[in-house]
Amino acid sequence: MPDRYVVVGNPIAHSKSPRIHHLFALQTGQDIQYDLLLAPLDGFRETLAQFFSHGGCGANVTVPFKQEASNVVHTLSARACAAGAVNTIVRLPSGLLEGDNTDGIGLLRDLQSNHGVVLKGAVVALIGAGGAARGVAGSLLDAGAAHVVVANRNLARARDLVDAFAGIGSIRACALNDLPVAVDIVINATSSSLTGAPLRLPSHCVGSHTICYDMMYASEPTAFMEWARQLGAARQFDGLGMLVEQAAEAFRIWRNKTPETVPVIAKLREELVFRSNPPGT
């Protein structure tokens, strides 16, 4: 009987995680079953407990439960503790649940290894202050970013995030309309691209050298990426690579196997384009 894993979120039907982990399992010869698990907005804890009580081995956590997950598990890894957010849960041999956060390493691997982006010395604008932003803020500073500006509609939430990472490096909070001029990298860590809701950011934060990165992904450029292109940003990327890279780290934690990510990213990109433009259309 295969070991069971899930990704828990709300909404969840859009998630590519089952496909990614299926490809990882084929590549590494692992016998696993990986499914979607929709949790009610007020029932994450109960949904997760039921899954693990029925023999579940591990879970990924996505919006909007990453911060809540840090209060549900029994122990936290160092990076999950620093982030105050969990996206990967493993059931230990003792039966206890340990929470980890692979978002930061997933983002760094995609930016640096897959896209050749230099973070050392960069001024980074991080848009959003939820679980996704918390998962990557410390990693950006650890990677050598000279300064990270956390911008959010709710300034108090941005300040809370900044307080959690102030001891690591140069980081400050600001309102969306107070972003600095022509930063080096703008990262959209909100879920706006899931709903298509526009992000009202000042155009002055993007210069001709700016790299814009949307942590969400789609078959076509996201609204955030299109906004960046129209402003003349140097390059725009979506988060498909980050999704695969953070999943690879979760897979390593669960199975002690490190899958190759580049062919999986290429396969998913091909499938996204095919579904958007099938032959004969």
Side-chain angles (χ1 to χ4, degrees):
M1 184 174 180
D3 293 337
R4 294 178 56 231
Y5 299 88
V6 293
V7 56
V8 190
N10 187 330
I12 199 62
H14 68 282
S15 176
K16 295 288 186 285
S17 291
R19 178 62 173 152
I20 293 169
H21 284 277
H22 172 71
L23 292 172
F24 286 166
L26 288 177
Q27 185 188 115
T28 58
Q30 298 293 293
D31 186 19
I32 69 168
Q33 177 182 330
Y34 189 109
D35 299 305
L36 302 172
L37 183 58
L38 177 69
L41 293 176
D42 59 353
F44 171 72
R45 181 184 293 268
E46 294 76 14
T47 301
L48 198 68
Q50 184 177 35
F51 168 71
F52 281 108
S53 70
H54 285 81
C57 295
N60 286 132
V61 181
T62 188
V63 292
F65 300 122
K66 291 183 179 183
Q67 287 176 267
E68 185 178 351
S70 66
N71 298 317
V72 170
V73 297
H74 301 101
T75 61
L76 293 169
S77 70
R79 54 192 176 188
C81 188
V86 163
N87 79 333
T88 300
I89 300 173
V90 59
R91 189 184 67 190
L92 302 174
S94 64
L96 297 180
L97 303 181
E98 180 171 82
D100 205 335
N101 195 304
T102 66
D103 279 339
I105 194 169
L107 176 65
L108 294 189
R109 286 175 179 170
D110 194 36
L111 282 173
Q112 296 175 313
S113 299
N114 299 334
H115 298 303
V117 174
V118 177
L119 286 165
K120 188 172 180 60
V123 175
V124 181
L126 183 59
I127 313 302
R134 283 183 169 271
V136 304
S139 295
L140 292 168
L141 292 169
D142 287 338
H147 187 61
V148 174
V149 182
V150 180
N152 196 53
R153 282 192 298 257
N154 184 328
L155 186 56
R157 289 195 71 189
R159 286 172 174 159
D160 285 344
L161 188 158
V162 165
D163 288 345
F165 295 98
I168 298 178
S170 178
I171 184 170
R172 70 176 176 88
C174 76
L176 292 178
N177 59 357
D178 288 333
L179 280 163
V181 174
V183 299
D184 298 311
I185 304 170
V186 182
I187 299 173
N188 177 22
T190 76
S191 59
S192 61
S193 293
L194 279 180
T195 62
L199 265 178
R200 303 191 184 282
L201 303 178
S203 59
H204 67 243
C205 69
V206 174
S208 60
H209 71 289
T210 303
I211 294 168
C212 291
Y213 189 97
D214 195 338
M215 289 170 68
M216 299 297 159
Y217 63 91
S219 58
E220 302 290 338
T222 66
F224 174 79
M225 293 171 66
E226 184 60 24
W227 168 82
R229 186 194 65 78
Q230 290 177 3
L231 291 176
R235 290 187 286 172
Q236 310 90 44
F237 305 114
D238 71 9
L240 184 65
M242 176 185 171
L243 176 69
V244 175
E245 296 291 352
Q246 64 81 25
E249 178 68 3
F251 192 87
R252 183 198 64 78
I253 292 167
W254 292 331
R255 311 301 298 182
N256 198 29
K257 301 283 185 181
T258 302
E260 294 183 33
T261 56
V262 171
V264 175
I265 294 170
K267 182 65 173 175
L268 262 66
R269 183 70 69 190
E270 177 186 305
E271 292 173 354
L272 278 172
V273 172
F274 180 86
R275 285 175 185 147
S276 178
N277 301 285
T281 60

